[in-house]
Amino acid sequence: GENVEQHPSTLSVQEGDSAVIKCTYSDSASNYFPWYKQELGKRPQLIIDIRSNVGEKKDQRIAVTLNKTAKHFSLHITETQPEDSAVYFCAASSNFNKFYFGSGTKLNVKP
Amino acid sequence: DTAVSQTPKYLVTQMGNDKSIKCEQNLGHDTMYWYKQDSKKFLKIMFSYNNKELIINETVPNRFSPKSPDKAHLNLHINSLELGDSAVYFCASSPKNMNTEAFFGQGTRLTVV
């Protein structure tokens, strides 16, 4: 099965700085890579996703990059704000909706 | 209006009991999932159903039995509960084979004492 590794497990940044979270995956059949944000006590919610035919995608302050050759993808958050503090999960999925999640990164944005 | 709803939100029970968690989605999705999130926040897939048929069973003990009476519902029944079953259980759904966003329910926090 797919194995998704995520780093770092915790990340503390100053408000206004950038945050980068990295993930690797093992299954070359994976072709969809969503990122979820989970606030304390809440459900995971999609913030951005990327498909294997695209190398980069941006939505305002967040961006995701994908390197299919190296099997890694990253989440970039610029101009971080305290409300960005949450646990972030990467995931990889193949054509049969098998979502496998990374172990999560707890992001703390200090005011 | 809730897209994916789970009940109950909290469940406290004693070891050895049998309990069920219900999940319903009104998005018209064909695929539904159960995920377990432990105290370290790992989100691990347990089961996936596609239009009432089991397509993923990730080596979950057979004390856990999912049941899908129709494609809008995926319930989780747990027999002989153990302390290690304490976790937050999330139901989710997504469209069939479209590799798009999975929508999560609000989670059920199960505490076994």
Side-chain angles (χ1 to χ4, degrees):
Chain A
E2 173 67 276
N3 181 35
V4 179
E5 294 193 355
Q6 182 172 346
H7 300 279
S9 56
T10 58
L11 180 58
S12 191
V13 299
Q14 205 67 40
E15 183 178 359
D17 287 350
S18 295
V20 180
I21 303 170
K22 297 183 178 182
C23 289
T24 61
Y25 62 100
S26 60
D27 188 355
S28 55
S30 291
N31 55 17
Y32 175 63
F33 306 93
W35 285 88
Y36 284 81
K37 176 183 179 182
Q38 186 178 26
E39 296 175 349
L40 189 63
K42 301 274 184 73
R43 72 189 78 193
Q45 290 193 289
L46 182 79
I47 55 170
I48 195 168
D49 57 12
I50 192 168
R51 299 181 191 280
S52 58
N53 58 347
V54 175
E56 185 173 355
K57 184 176 178 180
K58 191 174 180 182
D59 183 3
Q60 299 182 336
R61 294 186 298 109
I62 57 174
V64 58
T65 58
L66 171 65
N67 184 329
K68 278 212 75 177
T69 306
K71 294 199 188 75
H72 64 72
F73 55 115
S74 302
L75 177 72
H76 305 251
I77 307 174
T78 58
E79 301 171 28
T80 53
Q81 300 166 4
E83 50 265 40
D84 294 330
S85 296
V87 179
Y88 291 81
F89 292 94
C90 63
S93 175
S94 65
N95 282 333
F96 297 98
N97 295 74
K98 296 182 182 181
F99 288 92
Y100 291 94
F101 284 84
S103 51
T105 297
K106 185 174 182 181
L107 175 64
N108 180 32
V109 180
K110 295 178 284 187
Chain B
D1 231 16
T2 307
V4 183
S5 60
Q6 295 177 230
T7 54
K9 191 172 181 181
Y10 300 98
L11 184 54
V12 181
T13 187
Q14 290 189 326
M15 279 175 53
N17 283 351
D18 303 338
K19 289 293 177 187
S20 292
I21 307 171
K22 294 185 176 182
C23 179
E24 176 181 4
Q25 54 96 3
N26 62 5
L27 297 166
H29 290 166
D30 288 286
T31 307
M32 295 186 72
Y33 314 82
W34 277 108
Y35 282 86
K36 179 181 179 181
Q37 186 171 46
D38 61 23
S39 58
K40 294 183 179 178
K41 301 298 184 187
F42 291 119
L43 259 176
K44 187 171 180 186
I45 190 166
M46 300 173 66
F47 300 102
S48 172
Y49 268 70
N50 190 29
N51 200 10
K52 304 192 298 175
E53 288 188 31
L54 178 68
I55 56 173
I56 297 175
N57 178 344
E58 289 285 318
T59 59
V60 177
N62 57 16
R63 296 183 296 105
F64 291 79
S65 52
K67 283 189 172 49
S68 183
D70 55 62
K71 76 173 193 177
H73 296 83
L74 182 61
N75 304 323
L76 184 64
H77 189 76
I78 316 170
N79 289 330
S80 304
L81 278 155
E82 301 176 356
L83 293 176
D85 296 332
S86 295
V88 179
Y89 291 83
F90 284 99
C91 176
S93 74
S94 68
K96 174 188 174 182
N97 291 344
M98 285 180 61
N99 247 350
T100 186
E101 177 182 0
F103 290 82
F104 283 80
Q106 78 274 27
T108 296
R109 181 174 293 277
L110 171 66
T111 305
V112 182
V113 298

